[in-house]
PDB file of all heavy atoms in Angstrom:
ATOM      1  N   ALA U   4      93.316  87.779 121.742  1.00 55.00           N
ATOM      2  CA  ALA U   4      93.707  89.181 121.644  1.00 55.00           C
ATOM      3  C   ALA U   4      95.073  89.382 122.257  1.00 55.00           C
ATOM      4  O   ALA U   4      95.468  88.705 123.189  1.00 55.00           O
ATOM      5  CB  ALA U   4      92.682  90.057 122.350  1.00 55.00           C
ATOM      6  N   LEU U   5      95.845  90.329 121.718  1.00 58.00           N
ATOM      7  CA  LEU U   5      97.127  90.703 122.280  1.00 58.00           C
ATOM      8  C   LEU U   5      97.056  92.179 122.598  1.00 58.00           C
ATOM      9  O   LEU U   5      97.130  93.029 121.726  1.00 58.00           O
ATOM     10  CB  LEU U   5      98.273  90.420 121.301  1.00 58.00           C
ATOM     11  CG  LEU U   5      99.698  90.528 121.856  1.00 58.00           C
ATOM     12  CD1 LEU U   5     100.653  89.723 120.982  1.00 58.00           C
ATOM     13  CD2 LEU U   5     100.184  91.966 121.954  1.00 58.00           C
ATOM     14  N   GLY U   6      96.853  92.503 123.860  1.00 56.00           N
ATOM     15  CA  GLY U   6      96.785  93.890 124.270  1.00 56.00           C
ATOM     16  C   GLY U   6      97.904  94.213 125.233  1.00 56.00           C
ATOM     17  O   GLY U   6      98.682  93.349 125.630  1.00 56.00           O
ATOM     18  N   ALA U   7      98.029  95.476 125.584  1.00 56.00           N
ATOM     19  CA  ALA U   7      99.032  95.871 126.554  1.00 56.00           C
ATOM     20  C   ALA U   7      98.713  95.235 127.901  1.00 56.00           C
ATOM     21  O   ALA U   7      97.567  94.967 128.237  1.00 56.00           O
ATOM     22  CB  ALA U   7      99.061  97.392 126.673  1.00 56.00           C
ATOM     23  N   ARG U   8      99.752  95.003 128.671  1.00 58.00           N
ATOM     24  CA  ARG U   8      99.560  94.381 129.973  1.00 58.00           C
ATOM     25  C   ARG U   8      98.677  95.258 130.847  1.00 58.00           C
ATOM     26  O   ARG U   8      98.956  96.429 131.062  1.00 58.00           O
ATOM     27  CB  ARG U   8     100.920  94.154 130.638  1.00 58.00           C
ATOM     28  CG  ARG U   8     101.790  93.168 129.864  1.00 58.00           C
ATOM     29  CD  ARG U   8     103.221  93.147 130.384  1.00 58.00           C
ATOM     30  NE  ARG U   8     104.046  92.216 129.622  1.00 58.00           N
ATOM     31  CZ  ARG U   8     104.656  92.500 128.490  1.00 58.00           C
ATOM     32  NH1 ARG U   8     104.484  93.710 127.966  1.00 58.00           N
ATOM     33  NH2 ARG U   8     105.408  91.627 127.860  1.00 58.00           N
ATOM     34  N   GLY U   9      97.570  94.690 131.350  1.00 60.00           N
ATOM     35  CA  GLY U   9      96.661  95.425 132.209  1.00 60.00           C
ATOM     36  C   GLY U   9      95.630  96.253 131.477  1.00 60.00           C
ATOM     37  O   GLY U   9      94.773  96.867 132.110  1.00 60.00           O
ATOM     38  N   ALA U  10      95.690  96.294 130.135  1.00 71.00           N
ATOM     39  CA  ALA U  10      94.733  97.106 129.379  1.00 71.00           C
ATOM     40  C   ALA U  10      93.427  96.352 129.186  1.00 71.00           C
ATOM     41  O   ALA U  10      93.417  95.141 129.013  1.00 71.00           O
ATOM     42  CB  ALA U  10      95.318  97.482 128.021  1.00 71.00           C
ATOM     43  N   SER U  11      92.320  97.082 129.220  1.00 80.00           N
ATOM     44  CA  SER U  11      91.032  96.488 128.906  1.00 80.00           C
ATOM     45  C   SER U  11      90.944  96.282 127.403  1.00 80.00           C
ATOM     46  O   SER U  11      91.386  97.132 126.624  1.00 80.00           O
ATOM     47  CB  SER U  11      89.902  97.394 129.379  1.00 80.00           C
ATOM     48  OG  SER U  11      89.939  97.564 130.779  1.00 80.00           O
ATOM     49  N   ALA U  12      90.406  95.147 126.991  1.00 83.00           N
ATOM     50  CA  ALA U  12      90.335  94.840 125.558  1.00 83.00           C
ATOM     51  C   ALA U  12      89.086  94.029 125.274  1.00 83.00           C
ATOM     52  O   ALA U  12      88.545  93.353 126.147  1.00 83.00           O
ATOM     53  CB  ALA U  12      91.577  94.074 125.108  1.00 83.00           C
ATOM     54  N   ALA U  13      88.627  94.131 124.037  1.00 88.00           N
ATOM     55  CA  ALA U  13      87.500  93.332 123.569  1.00 88.00           C
ATOM     56  C   ALA U  13      87.715  93.036 122.098  1.00 88.00           C
ATOM     57  O   ALA U  13      88.415  93.767 121.396  1.00 88.00           O
ATOM     58  CB  ALA U  13      86.181  94.087 123.774  1.00 88.00           C
ATOM     59  N   CYS U  14      87.140  91.944 121.621  1.00 88.00           N
ATOM     60  CA  CYS U  14      87.240  91.573 120.215  1.00 88.00           C
ATOM     61  C   CYS U  14      85.852  91.563 119.584  1.00 88.00           C
ATOM     62  O   CYS U  14      84.911  91.017 120.163  1.00 88.00           O
ATOM     63  CB  CYS U  14      87.886  90.193 120.056  1.00 88.00           C
ATOM     64  SG  CYS U  14      89.664  90.188 120.332  1.00 88.00           S
ATOM     65  N   VAL U  15      85.737  92.165 118.425  1.00 91.00           N
ATOM     66  CA  VAL U  15      84.491  92.189 117.660  1.00 91.00           C
ATOM     67  C   VAL U  15      84.755  91.455 116.353  1.00 91.00           C
ATOM     68  O   VAL U  15      85.685  91.813 115.621  1.00 91.00           O
ATOM     69  CB  VAL U  15      84.034  93.635 117.380  1.00 91.00           C
ATOM     70  CG1 VAL U  15      82.770  93.634 116.537  1.00 91.00           C
ATOM     71  CG2 VAL U  15      83.828  94.393 118.677  1.00 91.00           C
ATOM     72  N   THR U  21      88.642  89.971 112.619  1.00 87.00           N
ATOM     73  CA  THR U  21      88.460  90.464 113.975  1.00 87.00           C
ATOM     74  C   THR U  21      88.922  91.906 114.100  1.00 87.00           C
ATOM     75  O   THR U  21      89.950  92.292 113.547  1.00 87.00           O
ATOM     76  CB  THR U  21      89.265  89.599 114.976  1.00 87.00           C
ATOM     77  OG1 THR U  21      88.831  88.246 114.881  1.00 87.00           O
ATOM     78  CG2 THR U  21      89.064  90.082 116.400  1.00 87.00           C
ATOM     79  N   ILE U  22      88.156  92.707 114.835  1.00 92.00           N
ATOM     80  CA  ILE U  22      88.568  94.044 115.239  1.00 92.00           C
ATOM     81  C   ILE U  22      88.814  93.995 116.738  1.00 92.00           C
ATOM     82  O   ILE U  22      87.940  93.592 117.508  1.00 92.00           O
ATOM     83  CB  ILE U  22      87.494  95.081 114.902  1.00 92.00           C
ATOM     84  CG1 ILE U  22      87.295  95.161 113.375  1.00 92.00           C
ATOM     85  CG2 ILE U  22      87.872  96.456 115.458  1.00 92.00           C
ATOM     86  CD1 ILE U  22      86.092  95.970 112.968  1.00 92.00           C
ATOM     87  N   GLN U  23      90.011  94.366 117.139  1.00 89.00           N
ATOM     88  CA  GLN U  23      90.370  94.354 118.556  1.00 89.00           C
ATOM     89  C   GLN U  23      90.259  95.778 119.097  1.00 89.00           C
ATOM     90  O   GLN U  23      90.840  96.712 118.538  1.00 89.00           O
ATOM     91  CB  GLN U  23      91.798  93.834 118.744  1.00 89.00           C
ATOM     92  CG  GLN U  23      92.198  93.651 120.201  1.00 89.00           C
ATOM     93  CD  GLN U  23      93.610  93.122 120.348  1.00 89.00           C
ATOM     94  OE1 GLN U  23      94.414  93.237 119.430  1.00 89.00           O
ATOM     95  NE2 GLN U  23      93.921  92.563 121.489  1.00 89.00           N
ATOM     96  N   LEU U  24      89.509  95.943 120.175  1.00 91.00           N
ATOM     97  CA  LEU U  24      89.326  97.237 120.816  1.00 91.00           C
ATOM     98  C   LEU U  24      90.194  97.295 122.065  1.00 91.00           C
ATOM     99  O   LEU U  24      90.070  96.452 122.950  1.00 91.00           O
ATOM    100  CB  LEU U  24      87.853  97.438 121.185  1.00 91.00           C
ATOM    101  CG  LEU U  24      86.839  97.244 120.042  1.00 91.00           C
ATOM    102  CD1 LEU U  24      85.424  97.372 120.573  1.00 91.00           C
ATOM    103  CD2 LEU U  24      87.090  98.240 118.917  1.00 91.00           C
ATOM    104  N   LEU U  25      91.092  98.288 122.115  1.00 89.00           N
ATOM    105  CA  LEU U  25      92.023  98.421 123.230  1.00 89.00           C
ATOM    106  C   LEU U  25      91.793  99.739 123.949  1.00 89.00           C
ATOM    107  O   LEU U  25      91.732 100.789 123.313  1.00 89.00           O
ATOM    108  CB  LEU U  25      93.472  98.367 122.734  1.00 89.00           C
ATOM    109  CG  LEU U  25      93.909  97.107 121.991  1.00 89.00           C
ATOM    110  CD1 LEU U  25      95.320  97.275 121.455  1.00 89.00           C
ATOM    111  CD2 LEU U  25      93.828  95.900 122.901  1.00 89.00           C
ATOM    112  N   GLU U  26      91.675  99.686 125.268  1.00 91.00           N
ATOM    113  CA  GLU U  26      91.516 100.898 126.071  1.00 91.00           C
ATOM    114  C   GLU U  26      92.893 101.330 126.557  1.00 91.00           C
ATOM    115  O   GLU U  26      93.422 100.807 127.543  1.00 91.00           O
ATOM    116  CB  GLU U  26      90.580 100.635 127.248  1.00 91.00           C
ATOM    117  CG  GLU U  26      90.212 101.892 128.017  1.00 91.00           C
ATOM    118  CD  GLU U  26      89.203 101.631 129.119  1.00 91.00           C
ATOM    119  OE1 GLU U  26      88.379 100.722 128.959  1.00 91.00           O
ATOM    120  OE2 GLU U  26      89.257 102.356 130.129  1.00 91.00           O
ATOM    121  N   LEU U  27      93.489 102.282 125.822  1.00 90.00           N
ATOM    122  CA  LEU U  27      94.863 102.709 126.085  1.00 90.00           C
ATOM    123  C   LEU U  27      94.981 104.221 125.939  1.00 90.00           C
ATOM    124  O   LEU U  27      94.164 104.851 125.252  1.00 90.00           O
ATOM    125  CB  LEU U  27      95.821 102.038 125.086  1.00 90.00           C
ATOM    126  CG  LEU U  27      96.018 100.526 125.205  1.00 90.00           C
ATOM    127  CD1 LEU U  27      96.732  99.993 123.974  1.00 90.00           C
ATOM    128  CD2 LEU U  27      96.820 100.206 126.457  1.00 90.00           C
ATOM    129  N   GLY U 207     102.906  97.051 121.215  1.00 92.00           N
ATOM    130  CA  GLY U 207     101.873  96.357 121.967  1.00 92.00           C
ATOM    131  C   GLY U 207     100.946  97.281 122.713  1.00 92.00           C
ATOM    132  O   GLY U 207      99.943  96.834 123.275  1.00 92.00           O
ATOM    133  N   ARG U 211      97.033  99.360 115.862  1.00 95.00           N
ATOM    134  CA  ARG U 211      97.817  98.505 114.973  1.00 95.00           C
ATOM    135  C   ARG U 211      96.940  97.889 113.898  1.00 95.00           C
ATOM    136  O   ARG U 211      95.712  97.843 114.009  1.00 95.00           O
ATOM    137  CB  ARG U 211      98.478  97.376 115.764  1.00 95.00           C
ATOM    138  CG  ARG U 211      97.471  96.383 116.370  1.00 95.00           C
ATOM    139  CD  ARG U 211      98.184  95.255 117.106  1.00 95.00           C
ATOM    140  NE  ARG U 211      98.737  95.723 118.347  1.00 95.00           N
ATOM    141  CZ  ARG U 211      98.252  95.397 119.551  1.00 95.00           C
ATOM    142  NH1 ARG U 211      97.198  94.610 119.632  1.00 95.00           N
ATOM    143  NH2 ARG U 211      98.798  95.848 120.652  1.00 95.00           N
ATOM    144  N   GLY U 247      96.790  86.215 123.574  1.00 82.00           N
ATOM    145  CA  GLY U 247      96.120  85.629 124.729  1.00 82.00           C
ATOM    146  C   GLY U 247      95.702  84.193 124.497  1.00 82.00           C
ATOM    147  O   GLY U 247      95.546  83.421 125.449  1.00 82.00           O
ATOM    148  N   TRP U 289      93.890  90.150 109.936  1.00 50.00           N
ATOM    149  CA  TRP U 289      93.435  89.347 111.047  1.00 50.00           C
ATOM    150  C   TRP U 289      92.139  89.943 111.592  1.00 50.00           C
ATOM    151  O   TRP U 289      91.270  89.317 112.014  1.00 50.00           O
ATOM    152  CB  TRP U 289      94.522  89.360 112.134  1.00 50.00           C
ATOM    153  CG  TRP U 289      94.395  88.322 113.165  1.00 50.00           C
ATOM    154  CD1 TRP U 289      94.263  86.973 112.988  1.00 50.00           C
ATOM    155  CD2 TRP U 289      94.436  88.519 114.589  1.00 50.00           C
ATOM    156  NE1 TRP U 289      94.225  86.318 114.178  1.00 50.00           N
ATOM    157  CE2 TRP U 289      94.327  87.260 115.197  1.00 50.00           C
ATOM    158  CE3 TRP U 289      94.560  89.624 115.407  1.00 50.00           C
ATOM    159  CZ2 TRP U 289      94.346  87.076 116.571  1.00 50.00           C
ATOM    160  CZ3 TRP U 289      94.575  89.460 116.770  1.00 50.00           C
ATOM    161  CH2 TRP U 289      94.464  88.192 117.346  1.00 50.00           C
TER     162      TRP U 289
END
Side-chain angles (χ1 to χ4, degrees):
L5 191 158
R8 296 169 181 85
S11 298
C14 285
V15 178
T21 301
I22 296 170
Q23 186 179 20
L24 307 176
L25 301 174
E26 188 176 329
L27 292 167
R211 66 178 73 108
W289 196 53

